[in-house]
Amino acid sequence: SVLLRFDQLRHIVTADLSEWRSALKSVAGVYLITDTSCGKLYVGSAYGSEGIWGRWATYATTLHGHNKEIKELLKEKGEQHSAAFQFSILEICDVMATQDEVFARETHWKNSLCSRQFGYNSN
């Protein structure tokens, strides 16, 4: 039941809230970023020892998570546009799942939500 505005995520990461860090670090999975200003979606995945925590912490510190599409969006609309992002978890995977296993689930969600055709996924 995780549904966070960008400012909430940034607070959780910068304050290093232990209950959030522990919960998000213990799972891998597929997440969704919704641009609430227009409804466009970005489906991403997180795997490895830092799980979803590590991936989302990168968004909190960089605003774009090093994603080409989101970087370009923020360049066009300004960094303040990150306030329109909402983060949620689509599917939890075991933190020991392989990168290929998590990518397969990410691909499923990209196909299901048409985030390549109508969202911010280009791959």
Side-chain angles (χ1 to χ4, degrees):
S1 296
V2 174
L3 184 63
L4 299 169
R5 294 183 323 266
F6 181 77
D7 64 320
Q8 292 172 311
L9 174 64
R10 193 167 224 188
H11 170 73
I12 288 166
V13 170
T14 57
D16 196 26
L17 299 180
S18 61
E19 62 275 10
W20 280 94
R21 182 177 16 85
S22 177
L24 293 175
K25 192 174 178 179
S26 70
V27 293
V30 181
Y31 61 87
L32 180 69
I33 301 173
T34 302
D35 184 338
T36 62
S37 73
C38 64
K40 285 190 174 183
L41 306 175
Y42 178 84
V43 175
S45 63
Y47 49 87
S49 63
E50 293 295 308
I52 291 174
W53 173 265
R55 193 70 190 100
W56 283 8
T58 302
Y59 284 102
T61 57
T62 66
L63 308 181
H64 50 68
H66 304 294
N67 288 314
K68 179 184 170 193
E69 301 82 5
I70 294 177
K71 243 185 201 182
E72 289 174 10
L73 175 69
L74 295 178
K75 185 177 178 181
E76 176 189 323
K77 296 196 177 238
E79 290 185 351
Q80 71 279 2
H81 190 76
S82 62
F85 297 155
Q86 176 178 275
F87 288 74
S88 57
I89 298 174
L90 294 172
E91 185 173 342
I92 296 291
C93 301
D94 188 302
V95 76
M96 298 305 292
T98 67
Q99 181 177 338
D100 287 343
E101 290 169 329
V102 178
F103 278 163
R105 299 309 304 152
E106 177 185 2
T107 298
H108 164 78
W109 285 105
K110 286 177 183 176
N111 292 337
S112 296
L113 298 172
C114 300
S115 64
R116 290 185 186 106
Q117 298 91 328
F118 305 111
Y120 295 127
N121 287 105
S122 63
N123 61 347

